[in-house]
DNA sequence: CCTGAAAAACTCACGCG
DNA sequence: CGCGTGAGTTTTTCAGG
């Protein structure tokens, strides 16, 4: 019920550290230290605390898919015909590397997936040969992203 | 038309480097060097090349929103009533920090947004007081993510 | 792509308030 | 407890081959 704060306090310094690293994960800790005016060792201590608390779930290099020829993002609403075998369908979706997100959702569909593919021909191939062929998938509705205007993490 | 490869070749070593850093952006370069068996300096050279080419668009710390009390993800299809003022509506959406993604899409809606909020009450507040009040927004359809099963980047 | 040396950053144990 | 210091280790950077 309550937020998952197990006596976990994030003060202004923690926020500054996190905001900085959320922008650039490879910035030297000592550079952050100079900005927030505490020692590098103290930053390391706080980072260990934040990692242990689970607030930090990792770090990533972000690659630009367009440079690899992936130009098309689409959202696909998927209707499954037997709720009992949903987990199996998800398992199959995981095997399709172009499926970047998959959500069980309320509303019309059973799941909503986000896929990244090279072009419309690739999208059609994925739909016909990878998605529609999965056992349990009865119907799909596709929404192609023409342009992504916002892409960010939550503000802390 | 063609992929954006300006005489850009990514060999197996580049892929190994990228795959490693996509998993953990703060791993020491020298540790990668030991795995792929070339010198640290060579890895740095390749990374500079990859950054200059635009394949690497940055690095991020990933934070776990649940630990901050953000438990609810929802997708909202937004109908805009005057295409001419779409950019203004997008501008307003950018001001709502809970809006993490925003895509112009084909299909029923003009835009599809992904939002992250604390709970259903927060979601309702955002819909009524932040989204629906934006000039140009005529109607919305909300799909709550009950559970996210897949969340990843493209495979390289 | 490598070497090798200098600079910088990280780690760790200890002591302070 | 969280913070700082300083020594020792590791990584990053840079020049030259």
């Amino acid at each position: 019920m309550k937020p998952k704060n197990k006596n976990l306090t994030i003060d202004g310094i923690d926020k500054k550290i996190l905001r900085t690293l959320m922008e650039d994960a490879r910035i030297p800790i000592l550079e952050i230290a100079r900005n927030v005016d505490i020692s590098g060792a103290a930053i390391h201590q706080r980072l260990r605390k934040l990692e242990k608390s689970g607030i930090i779930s990792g770090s990533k290099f972000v690659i630009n898919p367009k440079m690899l020829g992936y130009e098309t993002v689409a959202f696909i609403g998927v209707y499954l015909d037997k709720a009992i075998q949903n987990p199996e369908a998800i398992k199959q979706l995981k095997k399709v590397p172009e499926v970047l997100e998959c959500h069980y959702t309320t509303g019309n569909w059973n799941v909503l997936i986000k896929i990244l593919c090279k072009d419309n021909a690739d999208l059609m191939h994925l739909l016909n040969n990878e998605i529609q062929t999965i056992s349990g998938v009865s119907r799909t509705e596709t929404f192609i992203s023409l342009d992504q205007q916002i892409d960010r993490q939550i503000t802390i």
Side-chain angles (χ1 to χ4, degrees), chain A:
Chain A
M1 207 70 181
K2 297 275 196 328
K4 302 230 181 313
N5 277 358
K6 311 182 168 195
N7 58 41
L8 163 66
T9 42
I10 303 182
D11 65 13
I13 295 180
D14 289 324
K15 285 187 187 174
K16 269 195 177 180
I17 297 170
L18 287 174
R19 286 199 195 106
T20 307
L21 288 167
M22 282 168 73
E23 296 281 320
D24 177 4
R26 279 197 80 87
I27 194 175
I29 300 305
L30 287 178
E31 198 167 322
I32 306 176
R34 286 187 286 270
N35 279 327
V36 302
D37 222 52
I38 64 177
S39 77
I43 306 258
H44 278 284
Q45 280 179 25
R46 283 166 178 267
L47 277 176
R48 274 194 291 275
K49 180 196 69 180
L50 291 167
E51 271 165 27
K52 222 180 88 204
S53 78
I55 288 189
I56 296 173
S57 50
S59 62
K60 287 187 167 48
F61 256 52
V62 185
I63 61 124
N64 181 354
K66 290 191 183 174
M67 289 301 176
L68 300 173
Y70 290 87
E71 302 269 2
T72 302
V73 172
F75 292 89
I76 305 176
V78 181
Y79 295 84
L80 299 173
D81 51 17
K82 301 187 199 78
I84 190 69
Q85 56 173 246
N86 284 7
E88 179 56 26
I90 303 287
K91 218 169 117 188
Q92 295 305 314
L93 284 170
K94 282 184 183 160
K95 292 187 187 166
V96 183
E98 287 89 348
V99 175
L100 302 188
E101 293 186 34
C102 172
H103 302 256
Y104 283 114
T105 53
T106 65
N108 300 352
W109 321 297
N110 296 92
V111 304
L112 177 64
I113 68 181
K114 176 183 178 180
I115 79 175
L116 174 60
C117 47
K118 292 180 187 284
D119 50 32
N120 285 350
D122 192 20
L123 173 57
M124 191 166 70
H125 167 262
L126 281 167
L127 277 168
N128 292 336
N129 301 48
E130 305 288 344
I131 311 294
Q132 298 272 17
T133 54
I134 291 173
S135 161
V137 170
S138 68
R139 202 157 68 80
T140 60
E141 284 175 14
T142 302
F143 307 90
I144 297 175
S145 168
L146 302 169
D147 193 28
Q148 180 161 3
Q149 297 279 330
I150 302 179
D151 185 11
R152 61 188 174 197
Q153 281 194 78
I154 195 69
T155 308
I156 64 166

